[in-house]
Amino acid sequence: MAFTSPTGQAILAAMFTGAAHLPEIAAARRHVFDDRLARAEPVVMRAMERGELPGDTDPAELLKTLAAPIYLRLLITTDLVDETTADQAVRVTLAAARAGALQAAQNPLRNRGGQERPA
């Protein structure tokens, strides 16, 4: 995993410490996460189309739920992040989505950033 390397750790430190309050760092962090969500969203949409996930699953919420336990370990607990961690995050996220816990917000025009999409 890239964030477990020394360079990755330095990037995380810059993105989530006091430096993150600098407008340039905050903008870069938002860009990184928006890009990751945008790249992964079509994968979630295809899973919904195939019936593997409920049709009202919110792709952004699914992806945030998937990433949360990994970032918790990277940023808070400093526990080992390995394939087992990733596999567990996938199992929990899929269970939550299939149970309807990651439904899209009431407003179907909301996008990843919580802003309304043009109709």
Side-chain angles (χ1 to χ4, degrees):
M1 176 170 272
F3 283 136
T4 59
S5 70
T7 301
Q9 290 294 310
I11 291 169
L12 285 173
M15 289 176 67
F16 295 103
T17 61
H21 295 291
L22 296 171
E24 297 85 3
I25 300 292
R29 180 177 59 201
R30 174 57 39 210
H31 175 75
V32 166
F33 287 108
D34 283 349
D35 181 64
R36 285 180 180 219
L37 292 173
R39 289 173 185 260
E41 188 171 3
V43 175
V44 176
M45 298 300 288
R46 286 193 300 271
M48 289 188 306
E49 290 166 4
R50 291 189 302 265
E52 297 168 357
L53 293 171
D56 61 351
T57 300
D58 184 326
E61 287 306 310
L62 184 138
L63 296 167
K64 290 173 188 177
T65 301
L66 177 63
I70 295 168
Y71 280 100
L72 174 81
R73 286 168 177 79
L74 287 170
L75 300 171
I76 309 292
T77 67
T78 66
D79 291 342
L80 176 67
V81 176
D82 57 14
E83 287 184 34
T84 302
T85 305
D87 289 344
Q88 178 67 9
V90 168
R91 283 192 301 275
V92 168
T93 301
L94 288 176
R98 290 175 178 152
L102 302 177
Q103 294 176 336
Q106 294 297 331
N107 180 354
L109 298 178
R110 290 179 68 88
N111 67 10
R112 288 181 309 282
Q115 300 163 349
E116 289 200 9
R117 270 188 242 169

